[in-house]
Amino acid sequence: MGKIKSFMAEFKEFALKGNVVSMAVGVIIGGAFQSIVTSLLDNVINPIIGCFNVGGFTGLTIHVGKAELLVGTFIMDIINFLIMAMVVFMIVKAMNKAMTLGKKEEEEEETTKECPFCKSEIPLEATRCPHCTSQLED
């Protein structure tokens, strides 16, 4: 009984983490967005292509023996994928840009200086250069 409780507690911790919940929301929104892209292809892009090529891509098939290869459907799926990938890329790019807008660039404090004699990099607190052993002035 103790193993089941620890398993359930471990599963609860995993399932309720922010990343898992965010991923689930992303999958749901992605599925809904895919229907929008599919509608765009079926109702806008494919009819425009159909003006130039009777039937558009969806009617494009190749017969090999008794098999019928739906090449047009495959081409439309590739276009669907490219549109989805472009939109996801633009969303991620916009989110990355938004994340950097609020952050102030932190200036790195200098921890070294240059030896005036041998031009080596030495710690700021050094009073003598470890490379050329010259006495440094403050």
Side-chain angles (χ1 to χ4, degrees):
M1 192 70 162
K3 287 186 177 188
I4 293 174
K5 283 186 180 182
S6 68
F7 175 79
M8 291 304 289
E10 187 177 342
F11 177 75
K12 180 181 175 183
E13 180 183 342
F14 166 77
L16 297 180
K17 281 185 179 176
N19 293 342
V20 174
V21 174
S22 297
M23 185 178 69
V25 170
V27 167
I28 292 168
I29 291 174
F33 183 72
Q34 182 180 8
S35 67
I36 293 171
V37 172
T38 302
S39 177
L40 172 71
L41 288 171
D42 292 343
N43 301 319
V44 178
I45 294 175
N46 208 19
I48 291 172
I49 294 171
C51 292
F52 303 106
N53 178 12
V54 178
F57 283 126
T58 54
L60 183 61
T61 59
I62 297 175
H63 295 278
V64 179
K66 292 183 179 181
E68 180 181 24
L69 304 177
L70 304 173
V71 177
T73 304
F74 180 68
I75 291 171
M76 292 308 291
D77 287 342
I78 290 172
I79 293 171
N80 188 342
F81 169 77
L82 292 174
I83 291 172
M84 291 285 289
M86 180 61 73
V87 170
V88 169
F89 171 74
M90 290 187 311
I91 289 172
V92 169
K93 189 173 175 94
M95 288 183 69
N96 287 341
K97 181 73 173 178
M99 296 280 253
T100 60
L101 288 178
K103 294 182 180 178
K104 295 180 181 176
E105 290 188 28
E106 296 179 15
E107 293 183 24
E108 293 183 22
E109 293 183 26
E110 291 189 26
T111 57
T112 60
K113 61 183 177 182
E114 186 178 90
C115 173
F117 301 102
C118 69
K119 305 298 183 194
S120 297
E121 195 170 296
I122 58 175
L124 279 177
E125 298 83 26
T127 57
R128 184 177 291 272
C129 177
H131 303 285
C132 67
T133 66
S134 299
Q135 185 69 32
L136 303 173
E137 298 174 6
D138 284 335

